[in-house]
Structures are given as C-alpha cells and as structure tokens.
Amino acid sequence: MKSRAAVALAAGKPLEILEVDLDGPRSGEVLVEIKATGICHTDEFTRSGADPEGLFPAILGHEGAGVVVDVGPGVTSVVKGDHVIPLYTPECRQCPSCLSRKTNLCTAIRSTQGQGVMPDGSSRFSIGGEKIHHYMGCSTFSNFTVLPEIAVAKVDPEAPFDKICYIGCGVTTGIGAVINTAKVETGATAVVFGLGGIGLNVIQGLRLAGADMIIGVDLNDDKKAWGERFGMTHFVNPKEVGGDIVPYLVDMTRRGADQIGGADYTFDCTGNVKVMRQALECAHRGWGQSIVIGVAGSGQEISTRPFQLVTGRTWKGTAFGGARGRTDVPKIVDWYMAGKIEIDPMITHTLSLDEINMGFDLMHAGTSIRSVVVY
Ligand code: NAD
Ligand code: 022
Ligand code: ZN
C-alpha cells in the first residue's frame, strides 16, 4: 500500500513529505494507521545528524497513537479496530529482562530495532524499490506503519489520539521516572532540573505521588508559571543564584532536627552532564536518589567525587520511565481519562504533516512544550 510520510532523506536536511510504499504486516506484526504523533528531542537528535547511530533514509517519530487496521499471522493480543500506542521499548514478557521484573528494557527485538529494520531483518518501507529505515521500532511520522505485536499497547478507544500520543514518550517517561524508578513516597522533597516536556511530567508525577516540596530549576523564567501549573512549589533560576546552585538547593531543603539539607529525590531533565552532577550533589546524604532522564550528546561523560556516593547518594537512570509498555501505558491512558493527570495544556502546538518541520523550529526556539502532528 501507499502511505504519506515525512522522510528524513539525509542527516541535517528538513523532512520531506513523500508518498512511500508500505508492505503489509508479516507474522507477529500489525499495521497501524497513525492518527497523531508528537515531535520529541530524539527525533531531532537523529534528523540533525548528531546521533552517530542515525540511519538514513528513515521515517522518524516514536510518540504516536493510532488504530490497528490489519494483523499478520499469529497475532493474538490485538485485533483490527483496536486503538494502540506504539512502544519504542517493547514488552515481550518472555525474554530474560522481561522475566527478571527488574528492568523494562526488553531484549526480544533490540538489535534489529537499532538497525532500523523489523525483527525478520527487512524493512516494510520503500520508495521506488529503495529501502527506507524504520526508527526506534515506531516510525510514527508515517500515516501508516508496521509494528511488532509486542511493540503496541492497546488503550481505551474513547481516548483522544491527539493527546494520548504524548503518552508514547514524554508523559510516561516523566511520570514513570517518579513512580517506577524513584518510587517517590508521600511527603518527599524533590528537585527537578529542566522544565520542558519531560520535567513538567516529572512535576505532575511528584504531585500524584504526594511529594511535599517540589523545586523546579530552569534557566528560562517563563518556565516558572509552567511548573506551578503542574504542582511545582518553588522555582530557582540558576542565573539569579550567584555562584554554585548546589549549596543553594541544599539550604532550601534543610529539614529535621539535624537540619541536614538535600532533596530526597532529584531528576535531570536537561541532558546536560554538568546539571546531572548538580542533581546528584543536591540529593540528601545517606538516602538521596538522583535520576538521570536527559539523554546527553554522544561522547559526553558524567563525573563527581566518589565521596558523594560513599555518603549514601544513589545515581540512577531511566529509559521510558521504567515503564513496561503493554502493561503500564494503558494504565496511564486511564489516569488521563479519569482526570488524575493532565496532558492538554502541555500540547502547545498542533500541526499538519506538511507543517512538521515547523515543529522542529518551535523546539529549537523553546516556544513549545510539545508539538503534535495530526494526520
Ligand atoms: P526541553 O528542551 O523541552 O526541556 C529542557 C529544559 O531544560 C528547558 O526548559 C531548558 O530551558 C532547561 N535547561 C537547559 N539547560 C539547563 C540548565 N543548565 N539548568 C537548568 N535548566 C536547563 O526537553 P524535554 O523534551 O523536556 O527533554 C529533556 C531531556 O529528556 C532530553 O535530553 C530528552 O532527550 C530526554 N528524554 C529522555 C527519555 C528517557 O527515556 N530517558 C525519554 C524522553 C526524553
Ligand atoms: C526518547 N528518548 C529520548 C527522547 N525520547 C530515549 C532515547 C533512548 C532511550 C530511551 C529514551 C534509551 C535508553 C536506553 C536505551 N535506549 C537502550 C535500550 C536497550 O539497549 O535495551 C534506546 C532505546 C531505543 C533505541 C535506542 C536507544 C532505538 O530504538 N534506536 C529505548
Ligand atoms: Zn521521545
């Protein structure tokens, strides 16, 4: 069949809206009509050529929602008409990682996904016989895409596609980092570095978890109102703090009879390795946990003095908020439908596929929280 898609033909070039050929689903695969897709940082990381593992030509996009329109042989967990969210972190429930219950990083299709192909080693996308790569196993910048059955989460059919697509990455990453990775408890203190599309979801996750003090840190003062909108209790702009921000944050979080400062939980949502160090060092001695969510540029390294860890701070990282996609994503959609979490105000721009490159411009300008393309 044919599908309209935004194609990344070469690194650093704008996406081109083209008609592509799409082969139908093979064994264990499903054909999905994508109804909406968010535009996320990783798409830009790859489009720009900064990602050393980026493959071209490719159909990017990994934050979508749509409807199953066909299933290949052997598919049992979804049927035509089901509403689904594609999963860049699949959940096979059979590999050693899924069975371990200790990680969400399913390994069933990991190597082929990284090579931009389906699990059988071939691509379903082409133009004039030339192969086009899949991206993060999703390729949601195509109106139709083929996905492995284990890489779709079946969700409430009443939920609006143009909002729940964001659960395909940003919402689940931010809320999941709080609930699955940090396991934040009622009354906790927290610092969130970077109040963008991820940090704001960390903030609403902290509110959901019942955190007491939620400090947001951002270089952009416009983010103060955004943070407060989702539960932030204090805002710090590092530019307005003369010198080191770490002792400043430690001071803000002094509690208890011993008046030792430091937050119970801190989150890096910037991808800046210097910020990751600040986040670790403003965590409470003895028990503070710092969660790295931001993805740093290739070749970047983090550092701190071992003393920071010896005195009981923990450095953790999270992919897709530690969420097991097929199990956890439908629950997050239900939370949205029940009004427990908010999504609508974070979607600041809705575009048509023809306008997709504008979404990348808005991301660079810092004027959007999330741009969503509606097909
Ligand atoms: P964003 O650009 O919307 O937000 C980043 C924010 O950080 C901005 O508000 C910016 O002003 C602020 N900032 C930049 N430098 C800062 C500094 N030195 N101190 C304080 N604030 C600073 O980006 P986003 O969509 O929120 O994504 C954030 C990061 O999360 C990216 O690196 C992205 O790749 C990553 N991410 C990770 C996962 C995962 O599974 N681990 C999933 C999705 C996104
Ligand atoms: C999504 N991300 C950033 C913005 N939006 C993002 C990027 C990478 C990861 C998670 C989220 C990530 C963390 C750890 C891994 N990845 C490796 C997983 C593994 O090896 O099992 C990651 C993922 C997918 C791909 C590459 C890296 C890919 O499909 N190319 C989950
Ligand atoms: Zn993403």
PDB file of all heavy atoms in Angstrom, residues 92-105:
ATOM      1  N   CYS A  92       7.901  -8.072  25.620  1.00  0.00           N
ATOM      2  CA  CYS A  92       7.577  -9.400  25.080  1.00  0.00           C
ATOM      3  C   CYS A  92       7.066 -10.344  26.161  1.00  0.00           C
ATOM      4  O   CYS A  92       6.413 -11.324  25.880  1.00  0.00           O
ATOM      5  CB  CYS A  92       8.800 -10.014  24.383  1.00  0.00           C
ATOM      6  SG  CYS A  92      10.064 -10.659  25.522  1.00  0.00           S
ATOM      7  N   ARG A  93       7.401 -10.052  27.416  1.00  0.00           N
ATOM      8  CA  ARG A  93       7.006 -10.872  28.576  1.00  0.00           C
ATOM      9  C   ARG A  93       7.651 -12.254  28.569  1.00  0.00           C
ATOM     10  O   ARG A  93       7.216 -13.151  29.275  1.00  0.00           O
ATOM     11  CB  ARG A  93       5.475 -10.986  28.683  1.00  0.00           C
ATOM     12  CG  ARG A  93       4.823  -9.620  28.870  1.00  0.00           C
ATOM     13  CD  ARG A  93       3.309  -9.681  28.844  1.00  0.00           C
ATOM     14  NE  ARG A  93       2.735  -8.370  29.175  1.00  0.00           N
ATOM     15  CZ  ARG A  93       1.524  -7.968  28.830  1.00  0.00           C
ATOM     16  NH1 ARG A  93       0.729  -8.766  28.150  1.00  0.00           N
ATOM     17  NH2 ARG A  93       1.081  -6.783  29.170  1.00  0.00           N
ATOM     18  N   GLN A  94       8.687 -12.451  27.755  1.00  0.00           N
ATOM     19  CA  GLN A  94       9.327 -13.774  27.651  1.00  0.00           C
ATOM     20  C   GLN A  94      10.833 -13.731  27.752  1.00  0.00           C
ATOM     21  O   GLN A  94      11.456 -14.734  28.073  1.00  0.00           O
ATOM     22  CB  GLN A  94       8.968 -14.425  26.307  1.00  0.00           C
ATOM     23  CG  GLN A  94       7.536 -14.911  26.262  1.00  0.00           C
ATOM     24  CD  GLN A  94       7.113 -15.377  24.881  1.00  0.00           C
ATOM     25  OE1 GLN A  94       7.911 -15.462  23.946  1.00  0.00           O
ATOM     26  NE2 GLN A  94       5.836 -15.677  24.744  1.00  0.00           N
ATOM     27  N   CYS A  95      11.465 -12.602  27.416  1.00  0.00           N
ATOM     28  CA  CYS A  95      12.934 -12.546  27.406  1.00  0.00           C
ATOM     29  C   CYS A  95      13.431 -12.489  28.861  1.00  0.00           C
ATOM     30  O   CYS A  95      12.665 -12.183  29.774  1.00  0.00           O
ATOM     31  CB  CYS A  95      13.422 -11.324  26.617  1.00  0.00           C
ATOM     32  SG  CYS A  95      13.160  -9.744  27.459  1.00  0.00           S
ATOM     33  N   PRO A  96      14.722 -12.764  29.088  1.00  0.00           N
ATOM     34  CA  PRO A  96      15.250 -12.733  30.461  1.00  0.00           C
ATOM     35  C   PRO A  96      15.018 -11.384  31.150  1.00  0.00           C
ATOM     36  O   PRO A  96      14.757 -11.346  32.353  1.00  0.00           O
ATOM     37  CB  PRO A  96      16.745 -13.012  30.270  1.00  0.00           C
ATOM     38  CG  PRO A  96      16.831 -13.772  28.987  1.00  0.00           C
ATOM     39  CD  PRO A  96      15.742 -13.228  28.114  1.00  0.00           C
ATOM     40  N   SER A  97      15.072 -10.282  30.388  1.00  0.00           N
ATOM     41  CA  SER A  97      14.864  -8.969  31.010  1.00  0.00           C
ATOM     42  C   SER A  97      13.424  -8.797  31.465  1.00  0.00           C
ATOM     43  O   SER A  97      13.165  -8.366  32.593  1.00  0.00           O
ATOM     44  CB  SER A  97      15.251  -7.857  30.039  1.00  0.00           C
ATOM     45  OG  SER A  97      16.653  -7.828  29.893  1.00  0.00           O
ATOM     46  N   CYS A  98      12.469  -9.138  30.587  1.00  0.00           N
ATOM     47  CA  CYS A  98      11.053  -9.038  30.986  1.00  0.00           C
ATOM     48  C   CYS A  98      10.773  -9.959  32.174  1.00  0.00           C
ATOM     49  O   CYS A  98      10.078  -9.563  33.113  1.00  0.00           O
ATOM     50  CB  CYS A  98      10.134  -9.398  29.821  1.00  0.00           C
ATOM     51  SG  CYS A  98       9.979  -8.099  28.567  1.00  0.00           S
ATOM     52  N   LEU A  99      11.320 -11.167  32.140  1.00  0.00           N
ATOM     53  CA  LEU A  99      11.050 -12.131  33.218  1.00  0.00           C
ATOM     54  C   LEU A  99      11.723 -11.744  34.528  1.00  0.00           C
ATOM     55  O   LEU A  99      11.269 -12.145  35.596  1.00  0.00           O
ATOM     56  CB  LEU A  99      11.488 -13.543  32.796  1.00  0.00           C
ATOM     57  CG  LEU A  99      10.654 -14.183  31.673  1.00  0.00           C
ATOM     58  CD1 LEU A  99      11.259 -15.513  31.238  1.00  0.00           C
ATOM     59  CD2 LEU A  99       9.202 -14.381  32.103  1.00  0.00           C
ATOM     60  N   SER A 100      12.800 -10.952  34.444  1.00  0.00           N
ATOM     61  CA  SER A 100      13.539 -10.570  35.660  1.00  0.00           C
ATOM     62  C   SER A 100      12.702  -9.712  36.596  1.00  0.00           C
ATOM     63  O   SER A 100      12.964  -9.674  37.794  1.00  0.00           O
ATOM     64  CB  SER A 100      14.802  -9.794  35.294  1.00  0.00           C
ATOM     65  OG  SER A 100      14.465  -8.454  34.947  1.00  0.00           O
ATOM     66  N   ARG A 101      11.735  -8.985  36.034  1.00  0.00           N
ATOM     67  CA  ARG A 101      10.933  -7.994  36.774  1.00  0.00           C
ATOM     68  C   ARG A 101      11.793  -6.844  37.294  1.00  0.00           C
ATOM     69  O   ARG A 101      11.316  -6.001  38.047  1.00  0.00           O
ATOM     70  CB  ARG A 101      10.166  -8.630  37.959  1.00  0.00           C
ATOM     71  CG  ARG A 101       9.367  -9.872  37.625  1.00  0.00           C
ATOM     72  CD  ARG A 101       8.265  -9.631  36.651  1.00  0.00           C
ATOM     73  NE  ARG A 101       7.273  -8.666  37.147  1.00  0.00           N
ATOM     74  CZ  ARG A 101       6.473  -7.959  36.374  1.00  0.00           C
ATOM     75  NH1 ARG A 101       6.556  -8.077  35.068  1.00  0.00           N
ATOM     76  NH2 ARG A 101       5.611  -7.129  36.902  1.00  0.00           N
ATOM     77  N   LYS A 102      13.078  -6.799  36.904  1.00  0.00           N
ATOM     78  CA  LYS A 102      13.978  -5.764  37.416  1.00  0.00           C
ATOM     79  C   LYS A 102      14.218  -4.634  36.425  1.00  0.00           C
ATOM     80  O   LYS A 102      14.886  -3.662  36.753  1.00  0.00           O
ATOM     81  CB  LYS A 102      15.327  -6.382  37.796  1.00  0.00           C
ATOM     82  CG  LYS A 102      15.240  -7.379  38.938  1.00  0.00           C
ATOM     83  CD  LYS A 102      16.599  -7.966  39.245  1.00  0.00           C
ATOM     84  CE  LYS A 102      16.496  -8.994  40.351  1.00  0.00           C
ATOM     85  NZ  LYS A 102      17.806  -9.553  40.698  1.00  0.00           N
ATOM     86  N   THR A 103      13.770  -4.801  35.190  1.00  0.00           N
ATOM     87  CA  THR A 103      14.006  -3.785  34.164  1.00  0.00           C
ATOM     88  C   THR A 103      12.872  -3.811  33.149  1.00  0.00           C
ATOM     89  O   THR A 103      12.221  -4.843  32.974  1.00  0.00           O
ATOM     90  CB  THR A 103      15.343  -4.033  33.440  1.00  0.00           C
ATOM     91  OG1 THR A 103      15.505  -3.046  32.407  1.00  0.00           O
ATOM     92  CG2 THR A 103      15.397  -5.412  32.789  1.00  0.00           C
ATOM     93  N   ASN A 104      12.677  -2.670  32.478  1.00  0.00           N
ATOM     94  CA  ASN A 104      11.700  -2.622  31.381  1.00  0.00           C
ATOM     95  C   ASN A 104      12.388  -2.767  30.021  1.00  0.00           C
ATOM     96  O   ASN A 104      11.717  -2.704  28.991  1.00  0.00           O
ATOM     97  CB  ASN A 104      10.923  -1.295  31.425  1.00  0.00           C
ATOM     98  CG  ASN A 104      11.814  -0.080  31.186  1.00  0.00           C
ATOM     99  OD1 ASN A 104      12.995  -0.073  31.518  1.00  0.00           O
ATOM    100  ND2 ASN A 104      11.257   0.958  30.617  1.00  0.00           N
ATOM    101  N   LEU A 105      13.719  -2.925  30.032  1.00  0.00           N
ATOM    102  CA  LEU A 105      14.450  -2.964  28.760  1.00  0.00           C
ATOM    103  C   LEU A 105      14.395  -4.354  28.133  1.00  0.00           C
ATOM    104  O   LEU A 105      15.353  -5.125  28.184  1.00  0.00           O
ATOM    105  CB  LEU A 105      15.890  -2.489  28.957  1.00  0.00           C
ATOM    106  CG  LEU A 105      16.034  -1.005  29.304  1.00  0.00           C
ATOM    107  CD1 LEU A 105      17.495  -0.639  29.517  1.00  0.00           C
ATOM    108  CD2 LEU A 105      15.429  -0.126  28.217  1.00  0.00           C
TER     109      LEU A 105
END
